[in-house]
Amino acid sequence: YFSMPTRNVVPKPLQTPHPPPWVACSSRDSLRYAARYGLGALTFAFVDASEAKFWVEEYYEIFEKECEPLTQRVNPNIAMVSGFSCHDNEETAVARGLDGLRFFRFALAHYYHGGSQIPGQTDIWQLYRQTTQEPAEGRAGIGTPDQVREHLEVMEAAGVDQVVFIQQAGANLHEDICESLELFAKRVLPDFKARDAAQVERKDKRLAEAIESAEKQKPALVPLSEIPVVDAYPVLKRKLEEKVEAAEPTEMSDDGEKFLLSIEGGKRTGENA
């Protein structure tokens, strides 16, 4: 993993104390991790709508019983990725959306399971086109407005909080994507939007006790007195020069010295090449 010194981040987020944290989950183990640490679970497993119920139940069971927040904000939510293409003609929806969904799955498998590539040179799209594709395991949100609605209603009934549509993968045309989204917004979305507030309220009431318990276990913030002083580049450079000339320690961190050495080409003032 990577770490960095404490820094002042600007602009400041609208949310307080920070935006809700999410973690990508491709397995049940990572889903359990998200629940245990109070993180939203963004799942990329493309689970069947009926199977989603078991993922949701396990996530919230762990959250309610074991949550020890990793950040300053608890975010009990599950978002599931779904293929998407909406058209009044079912065949058109499939023709426009299924290949892109298959490519997205292929690319995920390539990068995270069995693929090898030369960065900047390997063409994943061409690899996909040269590979015989297995029949798709369900079309998810690809179909007519009624079919897309039916898919989302199953997800909704399972307790999935958000659905993330994948439509911009592969060779999908921008015009087709916009047409699909507009049809969805006109014919499908209003039904879900109308009942969203009531469902969120019911969920908040159900989780109120668990959230309150988790909030009490949030990690302590680093006291301001422990935040290190950050010098401007000229100050760091001067300290390094003084250190070389005096041949004695100065108040500069190892990170600061490494930074200066890197931008000075690895040479210190006063040293021989």
Side-chain angles (χ1 to χ4, degrees):
Y1 62 90
F2 296 91
S3 63
M4 62 179 290
T6 302
R7 290 294 183 265
N8 183 33
V9 179
V10 291
K12 298 301 181 184
L14 177 64
Q15 301 95 328
T16 301
H18 55 69
W22 291 83
V23 61
C25 301
S26 58
S27 67
R28 295 288 282 271
D29 286 340
S30 53
L31 183 88
R32 297 180 187 112
Y33 174 94
R36 190 166 292 114
Y37 292 109
L39 307 172
L42 175 56
T43 68
F44 282 86
F46 292 99
V47 299
D48 182 81
S50 59
E51 186 183 353
K53 181 175 184 293
F54 299 102
W55 287 60
V56 171
E57 289 178 348
E58 183 174 33
Y59 174 88
Y60 281 109
E61 181 179 359
I62 293 175
F63 174 81
E64 293 185 51
K65 295 180 179 179
E66 305 176 26
C67 181
E68 295 183 6
L70 193 64
T71 71
Q72 292 300 304
R73 182 170 180 179
V74 177
N75 183 35
N77 280 291
I78 290 185
M80 291 195 169
V81 172
S82 169
F84 175 70
S85 178
C86 189
H87 196 278
D88 280 318
N89 182 284
E90 181 181 357
E91 293 182 357
T92 300
V94 172
R96 291 180 177 181
L98 186 56
D99 197 48
L101 175 60
R102 285 175 167 173
F103 170 65
F104 186 82
R105 288 171 167 168
F106 175 86
L108 283 180
H110 177 86
Y111 282 116
Y112 292 101
H113 292 286
S116 299
Q117 60 277 328
I118 300 174
Q121 297 184 30
T122 301
D123 190 328
I124 307 300
W125 174 250
Q126 288 303 319
L127 290 179
Y128 166 75
R129 302 300 292 176
Q130 296 166 7
T131 304
T132 301
Q133 298 301 310
E134 297 293 332
E137 299 177 1
R139 298 188 330 223
I142 298 175
T144 66
D146 288 340
Q147 290 171 325
V148 173
R149 181 185 296 105
E150 181 180 356
H151 168 71
L152 295 178
E153 285 175 345
V154 175
M155 288 289 199
E156 181 184 47
V160 175
D161 299 296
Q162 300 178 29
V163 175
V164 181
F165 289 145
I166 296 295
Q167 191 183 14
Q168 72 282 13
N172 293 353
L173 298 178
H174 176 73
E175 294 77 10
D176 293 343
I177 293 174
C178 290
E179 181 182 345
S180 180
L181 289 171
E182 289 170 0
L183 181 62
F184 172 81
K186 181 179 180 180
R187 301 265 295 278
V188 182
L189 183 60
D191 293 339
F192 294 92
K193 185 176 181 180
R195 55 181 179 263
D196 180 67
Q199 291 186 342
V200 170
E201 183 178 359
R202 287 195 295 271
K203 174 187 170 183
D204 289 344
K205 289 182 179 179
R206 186 181 78 250
L207 296 178
E209 185 175 341
I211 292 176
E212 182 180 2
S213 175
E215 290 281 352
K216 294 178 181 178
Q217 301 183 65
K218 291 188 300 187
L221 290 173
V222 177
L224 293 178
S225 60
E226 296 183 18
I227 297 178
V229 174
V230 179
D231 295 321
Y233 168 66
V235 178
L236 287 173
K237 188 173 186 297
R238 185 175 67 250
K239 286 184 177 181
L240 180 59
E241 291 172 345
E242 292 173 352
K243 179 178 180 180
V244 172
E245 293 174 359
E248 61 183 27
T250 60
E251 294 182 2
M252 181 170 61
S253 68
D254 290 339
D255 288 338
E257 184 171 349
K258 290 177 182 177
F259 167 72
L260 283 175
L261 290 176
S262 68
I263 61 177
E264 294 287 350
K267 299 179 181 179
R268 298 185 183 184
T269 304
E271 288 188 345
N272 294 326

